Amino acid sequence: MQHGVESASLGRDASIPVTVVVLAAGQGQRMNSSRPKVLQPLAGRPMLAHVLDAAEALNPDALNVVHGHSGEAVRAAFADRDLAWTHQAEQLGTGHALAQALPSLEDGNRVLVLCGDMPLVSAASLERLIEQTDGRGVGLLTATVDDPSGYGRVLRDDTGSVVAVVEDADATPEELAVKEINTGVMVLPAEAARRWLDRLDRTNTQGELYLTDVIAMAVADGVPVCGVPVADAAEAIGINDRRQLALAERAIQQRYSRELLDRGVTLADPCRFDLRGRLAVGRDVFIDVGAVFSGDVTLGDRVRIGPNAVISNSRLGDDCTVHAHCVIDGVIAGSRCEIGPFSRLRPGTEFDEQVKVGNFVEVKAGRLETGVKVNHLSYVGDTRIGRDSNVGAGTVTCNYDGAGKHRTEIGERVFVGSGSMLVAPLQVGEGATIAAGSTITRDVPPGTLAVARKRQSTVKGWKRPTKRES
Ligand code: UD1
Ligand code: MG
């Protein structure tokens, strides 16, 4: 899964270069946050990352981001991408934002304007907008929604042609009743944009330079304006506040869960599923409620994930089962492993096949070979455990001496009795047995029994103290 980005066919007139300009300079006051709005996370990534993915999928000739509020933080978050940046020192409105980027654009280009706060827009809708708009005309991506409040309304004449966009704050009661909204995406010729933006003024309720005013200017100049609806109304969600962020989060998760269902995954409840990264799946995977996946996760065929599992950056082989309430991060497991319930597996952990790790077991940087069992209440850190070894309940590899970390090497077919402390650095040879309750501080040779505990003494006729009456 590609972060939910659809692939798009490039059917547009390739002779006209397309420059994408993403408006991302606003502070996002309605978020009530010290973090710039376009860096608020959606599905685990800054919302601007989703917009950039959609833009990049179009293969534009150039991709320019207008930044301003907390601009350095925004730039730094995308340092690894090939982007041109334009600074908007003062946020005077969307029209002013686009005007800052125009000097770097050549006449003859088409400008596709995107907003950094509409992360659900799909590359396919953008492609359709470009295709359906005449190269010399203006295209507006629109959506018809049940609740249009807050959005600019698209006004059409009796023939259905777009004549203007009016902002929510400036609209008359009749205009407010219009349910077709401006998504914020527009495509227009660079030279006409320059002309129109020069003529914008701030005589509106918000005192801003509205990009949307260019629609009426285009109509007045006899330039065709084409309103193109999005395929799915969720694409139009513009995020100005936390409620819209929550709405968009659910919408993107629904999109991901639909994709997974289509791939043959069974989701116990598609409404209780969260993906904050990429998830690759084999056949007949089952995912119970409340699972959270982040980073890059791969699940093999017939993997079963129990309720409330948190899994990040891991690869689980065919037929693995993760029982309820496990936290798994940075793990590679071979086929038929069984994990949990209540296991915590930390980065650097590798299981071969048929490894079993049970309740309240923590493994950090542990390599567990085929058939190893650590079934209950143990800590295994910086350790290799050989094939078919069994680690009893309550075993601890004491890998830290207060200054440095040390390794424990356990051979094949070792039996570690319950309640053992294995003080690293330590080597336990093949086939060795460690008696329950031992504190092992020296290497255990292969095939031996190590008992490292005080012998039991038994007192005959022992009288248990009794409580005194007070
Ligand atoms: C805007 C549209 C509205 C549309 C809605 C869709 C205008 C005037 N209004 O309203 O018609 O329905 O989006 O979500 O265009 N930005 C800058 N510099 C600025 C101002 C804004 O870069 O000076 C950026 C913001 O970071 C944001 C985007 O432009 O990513 C849109 O600005 P925002 O303030 O969210 O506009 P809306 O009120 O949502
Ligand atoms: Mg907005």
Side-chain angles (χ1 to χ4, degrees):
M1 187 176 294
Q2 244 203 326
H3 290 304
V5 175
E6 298 164 37
S7 51
S9 67
L10 293 172
R12 62 173 183 254
D13 180 355
S15 62
I16 311 180
V18 174
T19 294
V20 176
V21 176
V22 183
L23 309 184
Q27 176 184 2
Q29 272 180 346
R30 290 163 278 184
M31 279 287 171
N32 246 325
S33 171
S34 44
R35 194 198 295 237
K37 178 165 78 169
V38 293
L39 294 187
Q40 295 287 346
L42 182 84
R45 301 191 306 143
M47 64 169 94
L48 182 56
H50 298 269
V51 180
L52 295 177
D53 282 353
E56 279 170 359
L58 296 172
N59 264 322
D61 298 278
L63 178 46
N64 193 321
V65 181
V66 181
H67 70 301
H69 187 81
S70 304
E72 283 316 308
V74 175
R75 278 186 76 147
F78 298 97
D80 55 340
R81 298 212 190 203
D82 183 19
L83 301 168
W85 293 90
T86 298
H87 191 242
Q88 184 193 21
E90 248 191 304
Q91 283 75 60
L92 302 177
T94 48
H96 180 255
L98 178 60
Q100 308 312 297
L102 282 186
S104 62
L105 258 80
E106 289 182 18
D107 283 354
N109 267 246
R110 298 176 86 186
V111 188
L112 174 67
V113 185
L114 305 182
C115 291
D117 66 350
M118 52 169 316
L120 274 87
V121 70
S122 71
S125 286
L126 299 177
E127 190 68 37
R128 232 189 20 262
L129 175 72
I130 297 172
E131 263 172 48
Q132 292 184 15
T133 305
D134 184 285
R136 283 150 303 133
V138 175
L140 192 66
L141 196 64
T142 76
T144 301
V145 296
D146 289 336
D147 178 12
S149 52
Y151 292 97
R153 309 297 203 280
V154 177
L155 306 184
R156 292 178 184 263
D157 65 15
D158 295 343
T159 66
S161 300
V162 174
V163 291
V165 170
V166 59
E167 288 306 299
D168 187 272
D170 303 287
T172 63
E174 297 85 70
E175 288 165 346
L176 287 176
V178 172
K179 300 216 158 178
E180 189 181 11
I181 60 153
N182 166 35
T183 62
V185 176
M186 195 187 284
V187 62
L188 68 173
E191 63 272 27
R194 249 189 272 284
R195 219 168 50 236
W196 295 326
L197 292 178
D198 253 2
R199 283 160 44 200
L200 290 181
D201 64 49
R202 295 164 71 171
T203 54
N204 52 55
T205 313
Q206 301 181 81
E208 290 185 0
L209 293 162
Y210 289 164
L211 172 60
T212 43
D213 284 350
V214 305
I215 299 296
M217 292 179 185
V219 173
D221 284 0
V223 173
V225 177
C226 173
V228 176
V230 282
D232 168 9
E235 292 184 49
I237 299 175
I239 300 175
N240 294 325
D241 58 30
R242 303 266 183 187
R243 288 184 192 198
Q244 287 161 331
L245 182 61
L247 191 77
E249 182 69 35
R250 279 308 100 206
I252 199 165
Q253 294 305 337
Q254 249 178 41
R255 197 184 267 182
Y256 291 159
S257 51
R258 275 201 301 264
E259 269 181 61
L260 286 170
L261 293 167
D262 289 347
R263 279 165 201 235
V265 172
T266 300
L267 296 176
D269 181 355
C271 297
R272 283 184 287 168
F273 165 80
D274 284 87
L275 172 57
R276 300 172 190 157
R278 286 191 187 86
L279 179 61
V281 286
R283 293 181 79 79
D284 295 308
V285 166
F286 170 79
I287 300 173
D288 214 324
V289 297
V292 178
F293 297 92
S294 59
D296 269 306
V297 176
T298 302
L299 307 176
D301 294 344
R302 298 170 300 280
V303 166
R304 297 182 68 81
I305 305 293
N308 302 321
V310 179
I311 304 181
S312 29
N313 297 312
S314 294
R315 229 167 52 219
L316 307 182
D318 296 347
D319 299 291
C320 281
T321 298
V322 175
H323 296 288
H325 306 291
C326 291
V327 179
I328 298 175
D329 178 17
V331 171
I332 298 174
S335 61
R336 287 178 288 161
C337 293
E338 204 174 325
I339 298 163
F342 297 102
S343 301
R344 179 173 181 215
L345 307 182
R346 293 167 53 197
T349 292
E350 275 184 48
F351 293 172
D352 287 352
E353 296 182 3
Q354 281 178 280
V355 168
K356 249 184 109 185
V357 166
N359 42 269
F360 307 107
V361 171
E362 175 179 346
V363 183
K364 192 267 298 187
R367 172 163 172 73
L368 277 54
E369 294 179 2
T370 296
V372 166
K373 291 188 179 68
V374 187
N375 274 334
H376 331 267
L377 298 151
S378 293
Y379 172 66
V380 174
D382 303 308
T383 298
R384 183 187 71 89
I385 307 181
R387 278 179 89 95
D388 297 323
S389 289
N390 186 96
V391 175
T395 296
V396 174
T397 54
C398 310
N399 60 336
Y400 184 53
D401 58 11
K405 294 281 170 64
H406 304 283
R407 291 194 57 78
T408 301
E409 293 282 337
I410 298 176
E412 297 182 3
R413 287 172 284 99
V414 166
F415 182 91
V416 180
S418 298
S420 297
M421 298 294 120
L422 307 178
V423 182
L426 189 68
Q427 300 219 10
V428 180
E430 195 178 311
T433 302
I434 292 172
S438 294
T439 297
I440 303 293
T441 53
R442 278 177 295 168
D443 291 351
V444 180
T448 59
L449 166 70
V451 188
R453 64 184 183 222
K454 227 179 140 214
R455 264 189 192 282
Q456 178 174 333
S457 55
T458 307
V459 179
K460 284 186 186 154
W462 168 253
K463 290 275 183 300
R464 207 184 297 161
T466 49
K467 269 195 192 163
R468 256 192 244 138
E469 298 293 325
S470 56

